[in-house]
Amino acid sequence: MSNGTDSHRTHRRRAVIASTVGTTIEWYDFFLYGTVAALVFPKIFFPGSSPSAGVLESFSTLFVGFAARPVGAAIFGHYGDRIGRKATLVTTLLLMGIATVLIGVLPGYATLGFAAPVLLVLLRIGQGIGVGGEWGGSVLMAMEWGPESRRGLMASLPQLGVPLGLLLSTAAVGAASAASGDAFETWGWRVPFLLSVVLIAIGLWVRMRVMESPDFAEVKRQQAVERQPVWAAIRKHPREILTSAFVRLAEQAPFYLFITFVLTYGTKHLEMPRSELLTATLVAAAVGLISVPLFGHLSDRFGRRLIYGIGIVCTGLYAFPYFALLDTRSSGLVLLAIVVSLIVHDVMYGPQAALIAESFGTNIRYSGAGLGYQLASVIAGGPAPLIAAAILQSTGSSTGISWYIVLCAVISLIALLLMPRRSAPPAASAQTDSQRMEA
C-alpha cells in the first residue's frame, strides 16, 4: 500500500515540476518578446515610422501573438482531450522554443526590408499557437494529479511559470543590456532569444519523464473520450467559455500594462532609466513566487470566487494610485507601484486556473478551459498595450488608461457573478455528455 502511495507521490511531484518548468520556459519566451518589443523592435523592424507610430506597430506584432493563442488552444485542446496531456505538452514546448530561437536570428528591416516585419509576425503567430496550447495541458497535468481538496494550490503551481518566466526574461534582457551596452539595439537583444535553446532542452528532458494524468487515464479506461471535444465544449458550455474569458479582463489586460507598457511609459513618457524599470519588474516577479501559490492555497480554504472577486476589486481600486506612483519618478515609489501591481494581479492569478478548469468535465476540460482562458488574449492581453499607447498618444495623460483598467474590473466582476457554479467530481467528469443524458 505504501509503495503505491509513494509511487503516486513521485509521479505527482514529477507532473508538477514538469508543468512548472515547461510553463516557465514558455512564458520566458513570450515575455521576452514583449519586453524587447517595447524597447527595441520599433527601431529594428519599423525604422521608417515616427517613435509613437513605431511603438504602436511593435505592439501590433505583440497582439498577433495573442490573437493566435485561441487557435493554439483549439488545436492542442482537441488532441489533449483525444490522446492525452503529455504528448501535446511536448509539442507546444518545441513549437514555442523554435519560434523564439528563430526570432533571435531574424535580420532587421535594414537587411530584409518589408520581409523582416512579415517574418516577425509569422514567428510571433507560432509563439502564440504554442503558448495557447500550453496553458491547458500544464495546468491540468498538475491539477489532475492532485487531491481535490488542494486543487486550487496544485493548479496554481504551473501558474508560477508566469513570475518565473518574467523573472528570467527580464533578468536576461537586463544582463544582455548591461553586457552589450550601446550595442544592445544591434546584437545584444538577440542573446536572450538564443539562450532559449538551453531551456528547451531542459524542458523536454523533464516532460518526457512524466506519466499521463490519472483523470485522463480514467477517461480512456471508461472509453469516454470525446470524438470532437472542442465542438462539444462550444456547443454544450458556451456560457462557461465566455465567462471564463471575460473574468480574465481584470487580470490579463492590466497585467500587460504592468509588465510591458510600463517600459514604454517609463522610458519614453517619464524619461526614466530602462535598467531601473527592469529591476523593479524583477523584484515584483520574485514576489510572485510566493503570492501566486499563496492565493491558490487561500482559494482552497475560502473559495475560488471570493478570493478572485477580492482581486478584481483591488485591481479597480489600484488603477489611479498605480500611475500616480509612477508619475512621481521616485525610484522607491516606482518600485512600490510595480510590486503592488503584480501582487494585486496574483490575487486573481493564483485561483484562476482551478476556477476555470473546474467548470468543465475531464473529457472536454483541455478544450473548454483552454478556449475560455485564451479567448481573453484577444479581448484583454493583446489589445491592452495598444489601447494604452493610443490613449497616451492622444491625451498625453495616464488618466484614460486608469479608467480603462476600472472598466476591465467592472466587466470581470459581472462575468464572475454570471459564471456557472459547478465542480464535477472525477468519476462524473469522465462521462461524456451523451452518457450523462442516458443515465
Side-chain angles (χ1 to χ4, degrees):
M1 183 71 177
S2 61
N3 289 338
T5 302
D6 291 342
S7 176
H8 186 85
R9 287 175 180 169
T10 299
H11 290 305
R12 178 193 299 171
R13 185 168 57 251
R14 285 183 180 176
V16 170
I17 293 172
S19 297
T20 306
V21 168
T23 54
T24 298
I25 296 167
E26 295 267 3
W27 287 112
Y28 168 87
D29 293 346
F30 207 75
F31 289 146
L32 180 61
Y33 186 100
T35 302
V36 178
L39 297 175
V40 175
F41 283 177
K43 293 182 180 179
I44 301 297
F45 293 99
F46 308 99
S49 304
S50 65
S52 58
V55 169
L56 285 172
E57 289 168 336
S58 182
F59 281 150
S60 294
T61 66
L62 188 70
F63 173 73
V64 167
F66 284 98
R69 282 164 67 171
V71 177
I75 294 172
F76 291 105
H78 172 83
Y79 290 106
D81 283 327
R82 289 279 295 160
I83 63 176
R85 291 34 169 150
K86 178 178 176 177
T88 56
L89 287 175
V90 171
T91 307
T92 58
L93 183 62
L94 279 172
L95 177 60
M96 187 72 174
I98 291 171
T100 301
V101 172
L102 289 178
I103 290 174
V105 298
L106 180 65
Y109 191 92
T111 303
L112 294 182
F114 184 69
V118 171
L119 290 173
L120 180 67
V121 168
L122 292 176
L123 292 173
R124 182 60 178 170
I125 290 173
Q127 278 192 322
I129 292 174
V131 82
E134 164 71 24
W135 179 85
S138 61
V139 164
L140 297 187
M141 182 66 83
M143 189 182 87
E144 291 175 354
W145 268 104
E148 287 211 40
S149 61
R150 300 180 63 198
R151 285 194 161 185
L153 174 62
M154 295 295 291
S156 74
L157 295 178
Q159 303 280 73
L160 284 175
V162 167
L164 282 169
L166 180 59
L167 189 68
L168 288 175
S169 63
T170 306
V173 171
S177 177
S180 58
D182 294 337
F184 180 72
E185 294 183 356
T186 54
W187 61 266
W189 67 270
R190 298 181 182 275
V191 175
F193 284 88
L194 299 177
L195 287 176
S196 187
V197 171
V198 178
L199 298 177
I200 295 166
I202 295 172
L204 286 175
W205 178 76
V206 172
R207 286 197 164 173
M208 292 299 291
R209 301 175 69 238
V210 177
M211 288 184 63
E212 186 57 78
S213 91
D215 282 15
F216 184 76
E218 179 65 13
V219 169
K220 292 186 71 174
R221 189 188 70 79
Q222 294 186 14
Q223 298 182 338
V225 175
E226 283 282 354
R227 292 177 59 84
Q228 300 292 334
V230 174
W231 172 238
I234 294 172
R235 184 165 52 91
K236 297 291 185 179
H237 305 287
R239 182 175 167 185
E240 286 87 342
I241 292 173
L242 290 175
T243 52
S244 295
F246 282 103
V247 83
R248 294 197 65 211
L249 264 176
E251 173 266 317
Q252 198 187 46
F255 179 68
Y256 283 97
L257 301 184
F258 297 156
I259 66 157
T260 298
F261 176 74
V262 68
L263 298 176
T264 297
Y265 185 79
T267 56
K268 308 297 183 186
H269 188 70
L270 302 179
E271 298 181 345
M272 295 180 64
R274 176 177 64 206
S275 59
E276 186 174 318
L277 294 167
L278 289 173
T279 300
T281 305
L282 275 173
V283 174
V287 173
L289 301 180
I290 299 172
S291 55
V292 170
L294 170 64
F295 292 114
H297 168 69
L298 291 177
S299 77
D300 286 328
R301 294 287 304 277
F302 303 106
R304 320 269 188 249
R305 293 168 185 271
L306 175 61
I307 302 301
Y308 201 95
I310 290 173
I312 293 174
V313 172
C314 289
T315 298
L317 293 175
Y318 190 58
F320 285 93
Y322 171 69
F323 282 102
L325 290 169
L326 290 179
D327 291 343
T328 65
R329 295 182 172 88
S330 166
S331 298
L333 294 178
V334 168
L335 173 63
L336 177 65
I338 294 176
V339 170
V340 172
S341 72
L342 291 194
I343 292 175
V344 169
H345 163 266
D346 293 344
V347 179
M348 294 174 284
Y349 202 64
Q352 186 181 85
L355 175 71
I356 293 175
E358 288 174 343
S359 297
F360 303 91
T362 306
N363 58 339
I364 59 167
R365 187 176 286 156
Y366 201 141
S367 301
L371 282 174
Y373 185 89
Q374 302 299 355
L375 277 175
S377 303
V378 180
I379 61 174
L386 278 171
I387 291 171
I391 291 173
L392 185 62
Q393 181 182 346
S394 61
T395 67
S397 169
S398 62
T399 302
I401 304 173
S402 295
W403 280 116
Y404 168 59
I405 294 174
V406 171
L407 176 63
C408 289
V410 170
I411 295 173
S412 284
L413 193 58
I414 294 171
L416 182 65
L417 295 173
L418 294 176
M419 181 176 276
R421 295 175 177 271
R422 182 178 60 185
S423 178
S429 299
Q431 296 179 325
T432 61
D433 289 325
S434 59
Q435 286 174 320
R436 282 195 294 271
M437 289 177 67
E438 289 172 4

